[in-house]
């Protein structure tokens, strides 16, 4: 998007860093767009942090003390929107899911609930073992590190698929379905880790 | 958030907790998960002469998920397979007065019932 006053590409749809013009009424549920990023898993970490810093500064409520209450609220909303986008996109797995969500809403047919074969049986077995009386803290810690390992390798696999897709420069449905299937496993691992934490704290 | 008394009762005294042998030809197993929260629900039924003579569940999840599956097993016992197919998630959520954010727990229970029924049917079809 080009700036109306200087014709240069704006940093985001609501801010031109060149002439410092800010549209405080900007509202979007698109987290990529809010930060002026293209909808992709790949992220230039430095650029990403720089954007966040710049946008946080220009929307900082302290700079707008003299505005009307309505305008102050707008600034506050915009600033919250920037924060929300930043923290969602910073997380690799959330960003991956957001990319897929955009593709799905653009019409790509992905099954959002798919899981690897036998996955739930494996999860059930782990949950059952966690609840057995014979499972002591040492065993719980073993399970914890096993599940952490599974989560980490899933994360790596997802990253690898995205790298491959970038290299091929295609949006292949099979690959992306594979990503979705892997992403769907994460909440089960997280839940187990959360439960183990709770049990070990008791 | 206030939960209904029926829900709390099922949560505090869950009915029919346990497991059956999933290889048994008369046993149907439904195993479902909620990707939103990582909950897992296993529901099993034992069917003889088209009648559900026993039902068991094991749910690792929130109180609403436990209550939904506990209630489901209670309702399933004694029903015919066709009657069981008629149980809807809305019946469960109404009975337990589930808050809107927990409706998916009753959907999970319905999915588990269907899967268990499908499983036992396909096993019995194989037998001929």
């Amino acid at each position: 998007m080009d700036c109306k006053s200087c014709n240069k590409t704006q940093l985001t749809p609501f801010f031109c860093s060149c002439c410092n013009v800010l549209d405080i009424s900007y509202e979007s549920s698109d987290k990529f767009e809010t930060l002026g990023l293209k909808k992709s898993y790949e992220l230039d970490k430095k650029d990403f942090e720089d954007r966040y810093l710049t946008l946080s500064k220009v929307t900082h409520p302290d700079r707008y003390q003299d505005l009307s209450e309505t305008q102050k609220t707008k600034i506050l909303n915009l600033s919250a929107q920037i924060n929300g986008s930043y923290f969602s996109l910073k997380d690799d797995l959330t960003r991956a899911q957001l990319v897929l969500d955009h593709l799905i809403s653009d019409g790509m047919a992905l099954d959002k609930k798919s899981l690897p074969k036998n996955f739930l049986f494996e999860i059930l077995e782990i949950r059952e073992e966690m609840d057995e009386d014979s499972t002591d803290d040492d065993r719980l810690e073993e399970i914890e590190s096993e599940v952490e390992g599974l989560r980490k390798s899933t994360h790596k696999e997802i990253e690898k698929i995205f790298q491959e897709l970038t290299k091929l420069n295609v949006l292949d449905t099979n690959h992306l379905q594979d990503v979705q299937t892997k992403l769907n496993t994460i909440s089960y691992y997280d839940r187990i880790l959360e439960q183990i934490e709770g049990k070990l704290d008791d | 958030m206030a939960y209904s008394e029926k829900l709390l009762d099922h949560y505090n005294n869950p009915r029919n907790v346990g497991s059956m042998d999933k290889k048994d030809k008369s046993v149907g197993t439904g195993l479902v998960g909620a990707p939103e929260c990582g909950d897992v629900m296993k529901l099993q039924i034992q069917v003889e002469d088209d009648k559900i003579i026993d039902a068991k569940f094991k749910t690792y999840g929130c109180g609403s998920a436990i209550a939904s599956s506990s209630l489901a097993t209670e309702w399933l016992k004694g029903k015919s397979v066709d009657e069981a197919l008629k149980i809807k998630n809305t019946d469960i959520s109404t009975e337990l007065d589930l808050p809107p954010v927990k409706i998916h727990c009753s959907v999970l229970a319905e999915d588990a019932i269907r899967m268990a029924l499908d499983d036992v049917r396909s096993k019995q079809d194989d037998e001929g």
Side-chain angles (χ1 to χ4, degrees), chain A residues 85-122:
Chain A
S85 304
Y86 171 76
F87 285 106
S88 296
L89 295 179
K90 193 182 167 69
D91 181 76
D92 289 348
L93 299 173
T94 312
R95 189 168 70 254
Q97 186 60 62
L98 286 170
V99 171
L100 295 186
D101 286 346
H102 277 297
L103 292 169
I104 292 170
S105 68
D106 284 349
M108 186 176 273
L110 293 180
D111 175 5
K112 265 203 95 169
K113 285 189 159 181
S114 64
L115 283 171
K117 206 165 176 278
N118 288 330
F119 178 78
L120 286 178
F121 274 106
E122 285 157 26

Side-chain angles (χ1 to χ4, degrees), chain A residues 12-117:
Chain A
T12 82
F14 59 88
F15 178 65
C16 173
S17 47
C18 182
C19 40
N20 245 339
V21 175
L22 179 69
D23 169 16
I24 60 169
S25 305
Y26 176 80
E27 258 180 78
S28 170
S29 57
D30 185 333
K31 296 185 161 79
F32 291 99
E33 191 192 274
T34 299
L35 298 184
L37 296 165
K38 63 175 182 359
K39 293 175 189 46
S40 88
Y41 177 79
E42 279 70 39
L43 198 65
D44 177 339
K45 295 270 154 71
K46 166 98 177 43
D47 168 69
F48 180 64
E49 295 297 330
D50 286 349
R51 275 167 193 273
Y52 178 57
L53 212 65
T54 308
L55 296 172
S56 300
K57 271 188 205 154
V58 292
T59 56
H60 199 288
D62 287 356
R63 293 173 56 151
Y64 302 94
Q65 296 296 340
D66 302 335
L67 294 183
S68 72
E69 284 306 314
T70 346
Q71 283 176 313
K72 272 189 202 167
T73 314
K74 279 187 176 171
I75 282 287
L76 217 57
N77 287 342
L78 186 56
S79 160
Q81 204 176 304
I82 292 164
N83 277 321
S85 304
Y86 171 76
F87 285 106
S88 296
L89 295 179
K90 193 182 167 69
D91 181 76
D92 289 348
L93 299 173
T94 312
R95 189 168 70 254
Q97 186 60 62
L98 286 170
V99 171
L100 295 186
D101 286 346
H102 277 297
L103 292 169
I104 292 170
S105 68
D106 284 349
M108 186 176 273
L110 293 180
D111 175 5
K112 265 203 95 169
K113 285 189 159 181
S114 64
L115 283 171
K117 206 165 176 278

Side-chain angles (χ1 to χ4, degrees), chain A residues 42 161-170:
Chain A
E42 279 70 39
I161 300 174
F162 274 118
Q163 277 166 3
E164 222 167 282
L165 286 173
T166 313
K167 214 161 55 191
L168 297 169
N169 199 21
V170 287

